[in-house]
Amino acid sequence: MTYFNFTLRNLAWVISISLMCALVLALAACGDSETEGDATLPSATVPPTVAVAATQPPTEVPTETPEPPRNTLSPTQAPTNTPAPTQAPEPTPVPTVEPTATPEPLPETYPLEIRDMMGRPVTIPAKPARIVSISPTATEMLYIAGGTAVARDSSSTFPPEVLDLPELGGAYSPSFEAIAAQRADLILIEALSQARFLEPLMQFGVPVVAVRATSLDDITTGIQLIGQIIEMDEQAEQAAQEVAARVESSVAGVSGGKSALILISDADRNLYAAKPQSYPGAIASMFRLTNPAADLSDSGAFPGFALISGEQLFAMNPDYLFTITPAPEPAPRLSAMLPRIPGFSNLGAIASGQMHELDHVIFLRNQGPRIAEAVEAMAELVGGSQ
């Protein structure tokens, strides 16, 4: 009986030990199942927990890596309660830049074919760099158009900067040797008074261009022509318009209807009257003044002037008498000499105080862009407005 009891106690002890081992194995299996996830192992029924007696010796459980919390998500799993991301603002559209059209190349200016104011076709092979002017008319047109010269005639004295240029003789007697030494690539002359120099000048093998100034249209055309040759078209056009505007403003207030003679004298004291075709005669015509010498024949050294006698002058008896003394002071002025001639003091213009001396520079020698100054000066004398 005692043996039987001992056997039963031993059996209970063995059963307890077995149950405890089964429980440990079950717990371990459950831990592995939760770590790997339900998708890899089937779920197992967990046996009921058995209380272990206090006298049971502790069982050593193998140390394991702590399992992650049950609510920890796998890296690839989207969070359940994560708020939806704020929608990113739409990017500002970038304006499309239209491709810039490639400008067409400008046509070549040179060689340039022009027709000068003698009606001659002239070819300018390249833009002139060394321009020689042997006429005050051409010189002043060149500078007002925006160009410069390398040499000048002795009568070209305007604008002031030309005074520093080497002289090539007079406008009526140029030095061809001095012109050749300048190695010019363009020579400017005056069409009427210097036409006789054209042939020797052309022997230099460079373009020779003639301009003239017998009228306002001639002057504006000459300025524009030179501007085209030196590629200063815009400046030349503006200058021509300004000259024309000043002239038109000066003649606007003159009623006209009166007569006028313009006289010059040579070294032999011969008198010449300016015809409408002359530069000073053209200026007088702008004021609608009749010219009693219009039908006379040209004579003398000045183009557009006619020799006139005392008898003819008395017969014409103009309302205005203008005089020009070609020689600079201290040569006596023609306006001071005429009243001393017997009988001339009885002329209506002299008796009424309507005889006036005109500036020989702007009315005779330097014909050209300063026509505006000449017209303004005559406007004061005949009652016009400036």
Side-chain angles (χ1 to χ4, degrees), residues 294-308:
D295 295 331
L296 298 181
S297 300
D298 283 12
S299 55
F302 303 101
F305 284 78
L307 182 67
I308 187 171

Side-chain angles (χ1 to χ4, degrees), residues 114-140:
I114 61 102
R115 188 172 293 275
D116 74 358
M117 299 187 73
M118 289 178 65
R120 302 164 47 249
V122 181
T123 300
I124 314 295
K127 183 176 180 179
R130 295 186 60 82
I131 302 175
V132 164
S133 175
I134 59 173
S135 160
T137 296
T139 301
E140 294 194 22

Side-chain angles (χ1 to χ4, degrees), residues 35-362:
T35 302
E36 295 175 4
D38 294 341
T40 56
L41 293 176
S43 61
T45 303
V46 180
T49 303
V50 178
V52 180
T55 57
Q56 181 179 352
T59 303
E60 185 176 355
V61 180
T63 303
E64 295 179 356
T65 302
E67 61 183 80
R70 296 184 60 87
N71 293 332
T72 302
L73 300 176
S74 63
T76 57
Q77 185 175 1
T80 305
N81 297 324
T82 301
T86 305
Q87 184 176 3
E90 296 183 1
T92 303
V94 179
T96 303
V97 179
E98 296 292 335
T100 304
T102 303
E104 296 183 3
L106 296 176
E108 292 290 338
T109 302
Y110 304 98
L112 176 66
E113 302 288 339
I114 61 102
R115 188 172 293 275
D116 74 358
M117 299 187 73
M118 289 178 65
R120 302 164 47 249
V122 181
T123 300
I124 314 295
K127 183 176 180 179
R130 295 186 60 82
I131 302 175
V132 164
S133 175
I134 59 173
S135 160
T137 296
T139 301
E140 294 194 22
M141 286 183 179
L142 172 64
Y143 275 78
I144 200 173
T148 58
V150 296
R152 63 178 177 92
D153 65 284
S154 59
S155 297
S156 292
T157 57
F158 188 85
E161 54 262 37
V162 304
L163 297 176
D164 295 330
L165 299 178
E167 293 184 9
L168 305 173
Y172 294 99
S173 56
S175 170
F176 296 103
E177 293 78 8
I179 295 173
Q182 290 297 324
R183 304 184 309 281
D185 50 22
L186 177 67
I187 300 174
L188 299 177
I189 66 172
E190 198 279 320
L192 299 180
S193 62
Q194 296 181 318
R196 64 185 184 275
F197 303 140
L198 185 58
E199 185 175 346
L201 290 174
M202 292 182 65
Q203 301 302 316
F204 299 139
V206 299
V208 180
V209 173
V211 295
R212 68 171 181 258
T214 57
S215 66
L216 177 61
D217 286 342
D218 276 353
I219 293 167
T220 56
T221 299
I223 294 171
Q224 294 164 343
L225 176 62
I226 292 178
Q228 179 186 8
I229 292 172
I230 63 174
E231 288 192 311
M232 296 293 288
D233 303 71
E234 187 173 334
Q235 179 171 333
E237 178 64 28
Q238 182 178 351
Q241 290 180 3
E242 290 176 355
V243 170
R246 288 177 63 184
V247 170
E248 293 168 2
S249 175
S250 295
V251 303
V254 179
S255 59
K258 294 186 177 183
S259 61
L261 272 180
I262 303 174
L263 302 178
I264 63 173
S265 177
D266 60 14
D268 297 325
R269 297 187 179 181
N270 294 313
L271 290 178
Y272 298 86
K275 299 173 59 175
Q277 295 84 358
S278 69
Y279 184 71
I283 293 176
S285 298
M286 294 179 186
F287 293 96
R288 294 176 293 281
L289 298 172
T290 59
N291 191 332
D295 295 331
L296 298 181
S297 300
D298 283 12
S299 55
F302 303 101
F305 284 78
L307 182 67
I308 187 171
S309 65
E311 291 78 8
Q312 289 173 308
L313 181 57
F314 275 103
M316 294 173 181
N317 197 21
D319 297 308
Y320 293 99
L321 193 58
F322 300 109
T323 59
I324 302 175
T325 306
E329 293 182 318
R333 304 296 88 186
L334 183 57
S335 57
M337 299 296 294
L338 283 180
R340 299 178 186 177
I341 300 175
F344 272 50
S345 60
N346 295 325
L347 286 169
I350 295 178
S352 63
Q354 294 300 328
M355 182 176 66
H356 307 283
E357 183 79 25
L358 301 177
D359 184 348
H360 78 285
V361 174
I362 61 175

